[in-house]
Amino acid sequence: MRKIMKFIFGCILCFLSLNSIYAQVKLKEKRIYLVDLTASMEGKGSVDTPNIFQEVKQSLVNTINNIKSDDTEVTFIPFTNKVHGISNFIIKDKSEIVDYINNLEIKKGDTNIVDAWKAGVAQIDTTKVNYFFMLTDGLHNTGPDKEVLFNDISKWSNFSKNKYFFAFYVMLTEHANEVGIAQAINSSSQIWMIKSMDVNVSFLMSKNFYRMNIIKDNALPLTFDISNKKFKNIVGLNIVAEGEIESYYRIIKVENHLNEGEKIKVFFEEKVERKNIPLSVSGSLHINYNKELNPLLFFTPDMINIQIDNVGIRSMYFKAK
């Protein structure tokens, strides 16, 4: 009997350790803001641009005031033709951060986005969830060739793959809209364009891998941490299965419980007979929603890797002599 109990206890420990691998780890958050301080932000200079500087600063203040986690780290990198220092804060010191934002001033120099981008990337903390913002009202027009910027943006996909690195190119005016930048962003993952002065973004953060056993339960709960205090429920939610999973399973229902328990439940059914499905199938879930009605809401990541196991419960019997 003791041998049987030891074996059962050992199996339980193995099961618990296996599941702990896939348990959601609560990572701290870091936000990196690259802020354009060129004269065009105040409507000055050779190009006719609106005076948006105070409005942009107010948007940053609103964003800081709406961040939930007090231990979130915030980094500011102001720039013109060069980077004008790097300042780091913790959100619990909000008054200090707000003072810093309010004291930002326009400086001489053209727009060097390449060097600002590189400085921001160097600040990424691999132990945290990183949200990386480039805020500019104009085009890169000094320093390295603009093709270097297009190339750096194109590299973001590989740089951020399976990591919690998420970038946002905030085009504060139409003057920042560059075809090369748009093409580089649209062909990359985990980077988005925002055409707005409002950077008070809601992030729905989830782990990037889930595992389920379809025989045990056909519903997969996706859990999320919501970063913004003013989050409103999402409109037009739709989830699509991709990869090998699509050959064997279909999504039959998606339940949105984000406002109740910060969860989305995805229900699956088999496309073919269970005996013809491999014991384990891998693929991904692509999270879609109405971006026009939710312009400042982002799932991070919006492509979640999953594994569906097709494994029944096995019983083992031992006889002690």
Side-chain angles (χ1 to χ4, degrees):
M1 180 61 71
R2 284 183 179 178
K3 289 182 179 180
I4 295 173
M5 293 302 294
K6 283 183 179 180
F7 176 81
I8 293 172
F9 184 67
C11 289
I12 292 171
L13 286 178
C14 288
F15 175 79
L16 291 174
S17 62
L18 177 64
N19 278 275
S20 67
I21 294 172
Y22 302 108
Q24 184 161 1
V25 178
K26 174 67 172 173
L27 297 176
K28 292 182 180 180
E29 180 183 311
K30 180 171 184 177
R31 300 199 187 189
I32 302 167
Y33 295 96
L34 285 61
V35 186
D36 187 342
L37 295 185
T38 56
S40 61
M41 292 282 285
E42 284 188 334
K44 302 172 183 176
S46 58
V47 179
D48 184 20
T49 57
N51 183 352
I52 61 171
F53 192 50
Q54 292 303 320
E55 191 172 345
V56 170
K57 291 203 295 183
Q58 187 58 52
S59 175
L60 283 169
V61 169
N62 294 341
T63 298
I64 295 304
N65 285 330
N66 280 293
I67 294 176
K68 276 186 178 180
S69 300
D70 284 343
D71 56 7
T72 295
E73 183 181 355
V74 183
T75 296
F76 290 97
I77 304 177
F79 70 95
T80 54
N81 61 310
K82 64 180 181 179
V83 168
H84 296 279
I86 297 173
S87 300
N88 296 291
F89 304 92
I90 301 298
I91 273 295
K92 66 179 180 181
D93 303 319
K94 285 187 178 179
S95 60
E96 186 179 348
I97 302 173
V98 170
D99 286 343
Y100 171 85
I101 295 170
N102 287 332
N103 287 325
L104 286 173
E105 294 181 342
I106 296 301
K107 297 182 180 293
K108 291 182 179 180
D110 291 328
T111 308
N112 181 353
I113 297 174
V114 172
D115 288 345
W117 182 275
K118 291 183 185 299
V121 169
Q123 290 296 310
I124 285 177
D125 186 338
T126 58
T127 68
K128 296 182 177 182
V129 179
N130 293 262
Y131 296 114
F132 181 97
F133 292 84
M134 164 61 72
L135 284 76
T136 182
D137 74 327
L139 301 178
H140 174 81
N141 59 15
T142 191
D145 292 340
K146 63 181 180 181
E147 284 73 22
V148 176
L149 176 61
F150 305 158
N151 189 48
D152 285 346
I153 292 173
S154 297
K155 289 179 181 177
W156 185 266
S157 287
N158 287 335
F159 177 66
S160 64
K161 187 176 181 181
N162 294 325
K163 299 182 181 72
Y164 295 108
F165 304 165
F166 308 102
F168 301 85
Y169 199 95
V170 185
M171 296 185 294
L172 300 172
T173 71
E174 275 301 316
H175 292 284
N177 196 351
E178 161 73 57
V179 173
I181 291 173
Q183 289 176 341
I185 291 174
N186 290 334
S187 63
S188 302
S189 59
Q190 299 197 174
I191 180 170
W192 298 270
M193 286 188 297
I194 299 176
K195 297 182 180 181
S196 169
M197 279 182 283
D198 190 352
V199 290
N200 195 9
V201 176
S202 292
F203 301 116
L204 278 68
M205 174 67 203
S206 183
K207 60 182 181 178
N208 58 25
F209 179 81
Y210 286 83
R211 186 176 184 177
M212 66 177 290
N213 188 336
I214 191 115
I215 295 178
K216 181 181 177 183
D217 189 354
N218 75 328
L220 174 64
L222 306 176
T223 56
F224 294 86
D225 288 321
I226 300 173
S227 66
N228 194 313
K229 294 176 182 177
K230 292 188 176 181
F231 167 75
K232 294 181 179 179
N233 212 358
I234 190 168
V235 177
L237 180 67
N238 179 42
I239 296 180
V240 179
E242 299 180 357
E244 187 186 11
I245 286 174
E246 198 177 5
S247 301
Y248 298 101
Y249 300 101
R250 66 171 61 92
I251 295 174
I252 56 173
K253 183 171 61 170
V254 174
E255 291 183 356
N256 182 359
H257 301 285
L258 287 172
N259 270 0
E260 303 162 23
E262 300 180 351
K263 287 184 180 180
I264 294 173
K265 294 188 78 173
V266 185
F267 294 80
F268 295 86
E269 71 174 6
E270 294 93 342
K271 282 185 173 181
V272 299
E273 286 188 70
R274 186 168 288 173
K275 65 181 181 180
N276 295 324
I277 299 177
L279 294 180
S280 183
V281 177
S282 297
S284 59
L285 297 178
H286 193 182
I287 303 176
N288 300 299
Y289 55 98
N290 189 319
K291 290 183 171 63
E292 289 186 4
L293 296 179
N294 306 270
L296 295 178
L297 185 147
F298 296 91
F299 283 91
T300 52
D302 60 358
M303 184 80 77
I304 295 174
N305 299 312
I306 70 166
Q307 177 178 318
I308 300 181
D309 295 330
N310 172 35
V311 182
I313 299 172
R314 292 177 171 83
S315 300
M316 299 179 70
Y317 298 92
F318 296 86
K319 184 176 181 180
K321 292 185 178 179

